[in-house]
Amino acid sequence: QVAVTNSIFIDDLEIPKSNHPNIKKLKNACNDHTDHGNKVWNSSLVLIDAIKDLNIRFHDNNLVLDLGCGWGVLSSYLALNGANVVGVDKDPNVEPYFKCVADINNVSTLFLCDDFFKKDFEIDYDYFIACDVCFWKKHIKQWKKFIKRVVKDGKQLLMCDPGRESFWELLKICDVPHIVERHYISKPRKTDSYIVIFGE
């Protein structure tokens, strides 16, 4: 039995921390992350709470794409709540962590190692989520193009960010309908982030 101090919990979702035995094993075996997929970011916790507040209901017919999925905490949460989830990340080193989180929570999720900024990337999904993805200014225009593709296809993209400069620059240039609000949580950690829904 793993001690509670090795994980944090949101409802039925268990999120392993860096000192969790399974995570420690993975870090010892393959700790060569790129693109900041090396931990669970606080914005993931905020977005999970926001999804509950937004009253979004997922079911088996919903195919959700978790963009820049990292360890797959959002993917596992959505799977626990009935969604059919694909997590995509261009860093192949996050896949073992993605699978670890899914195994801990006994859910079925699919990992896709790919670059979703590619022109021919398939966007045949019902819903898109992205958390802590606006790290670099060089990707702002790529995000704008991707978001326009999604919205033009009649879909929505739900994004969460702590408020980086690149995130605000994206909102400034993104000429698609969107709403943004700040969301606070007190547990499992006291933190806040900004939630954006692109599309109508």
Side-chain angles (χ1 to χ4, degrees):
Q1 182 69 30
V2 175
V4 172
T5 53
N6 291 332
S7 296
I8 57 177
F9 294 84
I10 301 177
D11 297 338
D12 295 329
L13 178 72
E14 179 177 352
I15 304 171
K17 296 180 355 187
S18 292
N19 63 346
H20 190 287
N22 296 10
I23 297 296
K24 285 171 78 172
K25 284 180 188 175
L26 289 175
K27 283 184 176 288
N28 288 333
C30 52
N31 193 21
D32 190 27
H33 289 86
T34 62
D35 301 316
H36 300 294
N38 60 324
K39 65 177 183 178
V40 176
W41 296 88
N42 283 345
S43 290
S44 297
L45 311 180
V46 175
L47 187 52
I48 287 171
D49 193 73
I51 287 171
K52 290 159 64 175
D53 279 4
L54 289 167
N55 205 30
I56 298 172
R57 292 287 176 259
F58 296 100
H59 49 79
D60 290 338
N61 293 327
N62 284 137
L63 185 57
V64 183
L65 186 64
D66 182 359
L67 300 154
C69 61
W71 286 16
V73 169
L74 286 170
S75 294
S76 287
Y77 173 77
L78 295 173
L80 273 173
N81 285 275
N84 185 7
V85 191
V86 177
V88 59
D89 203 297
K90 68 177 183 179
D91 180 4
N93 296 308
V94 302
E95 184 174 7
Y97 297 85
F98 182 92
K99 290 182 175 178
C100 175
V101 173
D103 288 344
I104 287 172
N105 287 284
N106 195 30
V107 293
S108 177
T109 54
L110 179 67
F111 180 84
L112 178 65
C113 187
D114 205 349
D115 180 2
F116 50 83
F117 288 141
K118 294 188 309 185
K119 286 183 179 180
D120 60 347
F121 182 82
E122 179 58 62
I123 62 164
D124 190 21
Y125 297 86
D126 298 304
Y127 210 87
F128 300 81
I129 58 171
C131 196
D132 269 303
V133 290
C134 290
F135 283 96
W136 297 284
K137 289 186 177 182
K138 65 182 180 181
H139 290 149
I140 294 172
K141 289 182 179 178
Q142 290 175 301
W143 268 113
K144 177 185 175 182
K145 287 180 182 177
F146 183 84
I147 292 167
K148 286 190 82 167
R149 279 188 72 198
V150 167
V151 173
K152 188 178 179 181
D153 201 38
K155 308 293 174 54
Q156 287 185 319
L157 190 154
L158 183 61
M159 182 180 284
C160 187
D161 192 272
R164 297 181 181 88
E165 185 180 344
S166 49
F167 170 76
W168 294 117
E169 287 189 27
L170 171 62
L171 294 189
K172 200 178 292 183
I173 69 166
C174 201
D175 52 351
V176 301
H178 64 272
I179 57 171
V180 57
E181 67 174 47
R182 198 171 190 175
H183 193 86
Y184 297 84
I185 60 171
S186 56
K187 54 185 182 180
R189 295 174 184 162
K190 190 175 181 180
T191 186
D192 66 276
S193 288
Y194 294 89
I195 309 287
V196 189
I197 300 176
F198 296 98
E200 294 178 309

